[in-house]
Amino acid sequence: MDAAKVGLLGLGTVGGGTAAVLLRNADEIQRRLGRSIEITHAAGLGIANQSILDASKVKLTEDAFEVVNDPDVEIVVELIGGYTLAKDLVMKAIENGKHVVTANKALIATHGPEIMQAAMARGVNVAYEAAVAGGIPIIKAVREGLAANRIKWIAGIINGTGNFILTEMRDKGRNFDDVLKEAQALGYAEADPTFDVEGIDAAHKLTILASLAYGIELQFDKCYTEGISKITTEDVNYAGELGYRIKHLGITRKTGHGIELRVHPTLIPEKRLIANVDGVMNAVLVQGDAVGPTLYYGAGAGAEPTASAVVADIIDTVRTIDIDASHKVPLLGFKADDMSDIAIMPIEDVETACYLRMTALDKPGVLAEVSEVFALHNISLEAVLQKEPAEGVAKVHLVLLTQKVIERNINAAIAEVESFSDIEGSVARIRLEHLG
Ligand code: HSE
């Protein structure tokens, strides 16, 4: 059988990794697939990685539209990233009847509905395993491996850069900017690293996971997103003293009031396996009603881990190329005409426990004053920690852990506490999940 012909868009970190894996593991892939896979046309600005492509077999161009318009190309692999050009290329590829493999979470989370509709109408596949948690096959696990389950919730460390930063801050006391620079140099961070540290990248990935878990439309605009740039080493240390680690989690949960969809720094008990996922590694914890908790761990970024998912998608696509669309796994795991319209909950309605840190004047009665506010708002406190003031300083840090409370209630209590003259500045709040 002829080789399956692939057009590669983007020759950066992941494009280079994809070409390298296809070449190095060609024999093994042929044994699995009964067919070889060849990159026949590739596009990249500056063509930085062209030395890894066999120039005698691959047409190289700087115009990506040449690739999507090449009649010989069967599968277009989009590794350019971003929304605009990538979307135009993917839509053109689909219009031309080509299957698409992409690692572009921003594209799927924001333009997924339009892209998938076009792909279904044209009878082509859109595969996006590499878009979530890099090399971890979490799309396949949730969409196919756990298809028997009602998914209750998913909690994931799905941004390697953010996890790397929090880990280095905790273990080495390094500062935020310094670690971020290292993550950029190592090729983990997005082109715009605020996507990593402000949780936008994780929100893209969580949006995709929630769709697969609950059969709902992709709704990135409804995802609550809070970054890690305000986390201090004091918070990391106080959390540790209380038996918790701070992780930047993406959480989606089905409740009687709707679907929670939120990315924010989160305290989790240090004894949980996921609390011990460090450095650039990702992990996704999925709670199904039949299987219970399952945990998926691996590299969430980097050239070859991401290429592992890209190449698996190419293999899957080649395998099902001749199969009628009605017999294929639906692109979001549920039949397109049977999606649920259950609403995404506003963050004010979500219920979580909280870690609160405030700076108080070191004088009698302040703790009682603060505690009374929480009592009046019917918020139970789980733990209270008062740090001794440094020599000659008349202020202390008060750290409180609350039991579960609806966000709008804790907001009201925090606003009241912040209005006290004995409390300096704002109260730091980090949500807390037991993930039990
Ligand atoms: N910037 C992303 C991360 C890359 O750090 O996880 C993988 O999506």
Side-chain angles (χ1 to χ4, degrees):
M1 216 179 208
D2 282 356
K5 295 186 175 58
V6 168
L8 187 60
L9 310 180
L11 289 169
T13 306
V14 182
T18 299
V21 170
L22 278 172
L23 200 65
R24 189 176 70 240
N25 295 342
D27 295 357
E28 200 73 347
I29 291 168
Q30 160 92 39
R31 282 208 310 136
R32 291 184 197 274
L33 190 58
R35 207 174 158 190
S36 60
I37 295 169
E38 264 176 24
I39 297 172
T40 56
H41 207 160
L45 282 182
I47 314 183
N49 269 323
Q50 61 175 276
S51 56
I52 49 158
L53 296 168
D54 182 345
S56 65
K57 288 187 183 152
V58 185
K59 278 187 271 179
L60 290 167
T61 175
E62 291 198 358
D63 178 6
F65 282 96
E66 272 181 27
V67 177
V68 299
N69 288 324
D70 180 339
D72 288 337
V73 165
E74 295 166 88
I75 300 169
V76 167
V77 177
E78 184 278 306
L79 302 174
I80 289 177
Y83 311 85
T84 319
L85 175 63
K87 183 186 170 206
D88 293 345
L89 288 164
V90 163
M91 292 302 279
K92 190 71 191 165
I94 291 170
E95 188 188 316
N96 290 343
K98 300 185 192 309
H99 303 279
V100 172
V101 171
T102 178
N104 191 335
K105 53 257 164 163
L107 183 69
I108 296 295
T110 55
H111 298 295
E114 191 188 341
I115 290 169
M116 289 184 192
Q117 210 169 19
M120 283 186 292
R122 196 69 177 81
V124 295
N125 192 29
V126 176
Y128 49 94
E129 182 63 71
V132 181
I136 306 174
I138 189 66
I139 303 282
K140 208 169 184 74
V142 175
R143 190 176 58 190
E144 292 155 61
L146 299 177
N149 289 261
R150 284 180 191 277
I151 304 296
K152 294 181 163 183
W153 51 262
I154 297 178
I157 296 170
I158 44 181
N159 182 271
T161 302
N163 203 39
F164 183 62
I165 292 172
L166 288 175
T167 305
E168 292 287 303
M169 282 173 76
R170 191 193 72 223
D171 289 355
K172 301 183 189 153
R174 290 178 67 189
N175 81 43
F176 186 93
D177 294 328
D178 175 38
V179 191
L180 176 58
K181 277 198 196 100
E182 189 181 342
Q184 286 176 288
L186 291 167
Y188 303 148
E190 295 304 298
D192 177 355
T194 58
F195 273 43
D196 297 292
V197 296
E198 295 307 334
I200 300 159
D201 176 71
H204 288 144
K205 296 166 180 169
L206 186 69
T207 298
I208 298 171
L209 288 177
S211 265
L212 296 166
Y214 308 118
I216 56 173
E217 297 297 346
L218 294 151
Q219 296 165 76
F220 169 69
D221 55 332
K222 302 218 175 93
C223 185
Y224 173 77
T225 306
E226 190 179 305
I228 55 170
S229 49
K230 295 198 185 87
I231 300 291
T232 64
T233 35
E234 283 157 338
D235 292 322
V236 172
N237 294 336
Y238 295 157
E241 284 180 42
L242 291 159
Y244 295 87
R245 298 243 167 116
I246 300 177
K247 292 290 177 189
H248 202 192
L249 288 192
I251 299 171
T252 182
R253 178 183 275 116
K254 193 172 192 179
T255 77
H257 307 289
I259 305 271
E260 296 176 5
L261 191 63
R262 50 194 169 100
V263 174
H264 50 70
T266 315
L267 264 74
I268 45 180
E270 64 189 4
K271 63 183 178 206
R272 297 267 175 264
L273 271 178
I274 194 168
N276 295 282
V277 170
D278 286 334
V280 74
M281 302 308 274
N282 281 199
V284 185
L285 182 55
V286 184
Q287 180 80 21
D289 69 335
V291 71
T294 53
L295 179 66
Y296 308 83
Y297 168 87
E304 292 213 0
T306 311
S308 165
V310 169
V311 173
D313 269 351
I314 300 173
I315 293 171
D316 254 6
T317 301
V318 175
R319 260 194 199 125
T320 57
I321 230 158
D322 296 323
I323 294 178
D324 181 76
S326 64
H327 293 114
K328 290 187 188 173
V329 179
L331 297 180
L332 285 170
F334 289 75
K335 289 287 187 188
D337 55 3
D338 221 351
M339 300 297 271
S340 162
D341 59 3
I342 181 170
I344 306 292
M345 291 164 69
I347 190 71
E348 291 75 21
D349 291 348
V350 168
E351 196 181 34
T352 65
C354 286
Y355 159 102
L356 305 172
R357 172 183 46 80
M358 59 201 80
T359 305
L361 293 186
D362 185 24
K363 64 181 211 191
V366 180
L367 183 55
E369 197 180 29
V370 169
S371 307
E372 197 185 337
V373 172
F374 290 98
L376 286 173
H377 284 271
N378 212 14
I379 299 168
S380 299
L381 298 179
E382 186 81 32
V384 178
L385 191 69
Q386 178 174 328
K387 304 307 291 181
E388 294 208 351
E391 184 98 12
V393 178
K395 292 170 198 160
V396 290
H397 269 166
L398 283 181
V399 176
L400 313 179
L401 297 188
T402 74
Q403 291 192 347
K404 277 176 114 182
V405 47
I406 293 178
E407 184 101 356
R408 74 175 77 250
N409 295 348
I410 192 96
N411 288 348
I414 288 174
E416 225 168 290
V417 167
E418 283 176 342
S419 73
F420 290 165
S421 56
D422 292 340
I423 299 295
E424 189 183 88
S426 52
V427 174
R429 172 249 311 273
I430 308 175
R431 297 169 190 84
L432 184 156
E433 293 282 346
H434 291 283
L435 303 180

